[in-house]
Amino acid sequence: NAGVTQTPKFQVLKTGQSMTLQCAQDMNHEYMSWYRQDPGMGLRLIHYSVGAGITDQGEVPNGYNVSRSTTEDFPLRLLSAAPSQTSVYFCASGGTGVNYGYTFGSGTRLTVV
Amino acid sequence: GEDVEQSLFLSVREGDSSVINCTYTDSSSTYLYWYKQEPGAGLQLLTYIFSNMDMKQDQRLTVLLNKKDKHLSLRIADTQTGDSAIYFCAEIFRSGGSYIPTFGRGTSLIVHP
């Protein structure tokens, strides 16, 4: 099983550029989310989705857009990259039962210069 | 979201026991989790405990839950150098009809010979 697949693993952007971080899961999980991880800040929730067609904002949504057209995919879009968005981004998925642990992707390391 | 607090660092000698502590705020949390993050990797679910339990043991791992004090701990017996990683405590809180995990900032466990 592939689990949660994130692409790309590394990316360097110039300020103002746009890009999409891809996330796909093959476990038929309804819940998917995006986190960013910064030194000393732990994981902060950006956006999440509880099913296809349903998304909501997390703790730090500004500067990011998401959509969920299928159960499998949950892309994260940066419309106009800023240096403050330099971070490691993790996608996670989980079942709707609260006893389900969440499965994480291996991360995308993004640098905005 | 709710706050989950952890100390940032813990250093132990190989063979000793490690105890990583966590406090949480949402008394309605039904499940609490421990995740492990090795360098350059995503988070991996280690174990979880249901809120009506006081203790859960899984090989070298022991999870203790004190609901009155909202305190969760992870004990690793016979700590090995391969246990060096960042450990995250997480609780689930309800947002509308969704269950959203909230993570602490992570505790960096350093195991030295």
Side-chain angles (χ1 to χ4, degrees):
Chain A
N1 288 338
V4 178
T5 302
Q6 288 185 241
T7 56
K9 291 191 183 303
F10 301 94
Q11 183 71 48
V12 179
L13 287 179
K14 293 183 179 179
T15 297
Q17 284 185 319
S18 63
M19 80 159 294
T20 299
L21 307 185
Q22 301 291 345
C23 176
Q25 53 95 3
D26 61 359
M27 297 169 284
N28 202 33
H29 283 164
E30 294 197 18
Y31 178 89
M32 296 186 76
S33 61
W34 278 101
Y35 293 87
R36 59 178 289 173
Q37 184 178 28
D38 302 294
M41 300 294 291
L43 290 170
R44 292 185 290 172
L45 182 64
I46 305 172
H47 286 285
Y48 65 95
S49 168
V50 297
I54 306 169
T55 64
D56 207 346
Q57 297 181 347
E59 180 185 357
V60 288
N62 292 340
Y64 308 95
N65 280 352
V66 291
S67 60
R68 184 93 179 271
S69 56
T70 67
T71 300
E72 293 78 20
D73 300 299
F74 191 45
L76 178 71
R77 297 183 186 84
L78 284 71
L79 299 178
S80 179
S84 61
Q85 294 178 304
T86 294
S87 187
V88 180
Y89 291 85
F90 288 101
C91 178
S93 75
T96 52
V98 294
N99 60 326
Y100 287 14
Y102 294 91
T103 301
F104 281 78
S106 57
T108 295
R109 185 174 294 275
L110 176 67
T111 302
V112 182
V113 299
Chain B
E2 304 295 332
D3 288 333
V4 178
E5 300 288 339
Q6 299 178 243
S7 55
L8 293 182
F9 298 99
L10 176 65
S11 179
V12 301
R13 183 173 296 181
E14 189 174 18
D16 287 350
S17 293
S18 307
V19 180
I20 302 171
N21 294 303
C22 168
T23 58
Y24 61 97
T25 57
D26 188 354
S27 58
S28 65
S29 293
T30 49
Y31 285 90
L32 295 135
Y33 301 83
W34 284 104
Y35 284 82
K36 177 183 181 182
Q37 184 183 31
E38 296 181 347
L43 277 70
Q44 175 186 10
L45 178 65
L46 264 186
T47 187
Y48 65 89
I49 188 168
F50 188 47
S51 59
N52 69 351
M53 298 170 65
D54 297 324
M55 185 181 81
K56 180 180 180 182
Q57 188 151 2
D58 184 2
Q59 298 182 343
R60 292 191 296 122
L61 305 179
T62 303
V63 179
L64 295 177
L65 175 61
N66 182 328
K67 282 196 71 176
K68 175 177 172 291
D69 294 337
K70 296 179 188 171
H71 183 267
L72 183 73
S73 67
L74 174 69
R75 178 178 181 269
I76 305 173
D78 186 25
T79 312
Q80 303 298 308
T81 54
D83 295 324
S84 293
I86 303 176
Y87 291 81
F88 290 90
C89 168
E91 66 168 339
I92 298 290
F93 74 93
R94 288 196 68 172
S95 175
S98 305
Y99 291 88
I100 310 299
T102 296
F103 292 86
R105 295 188 176 191
T107 299
S108 291
L109 175 65
I110 300 164
V111 183
H112 52 91

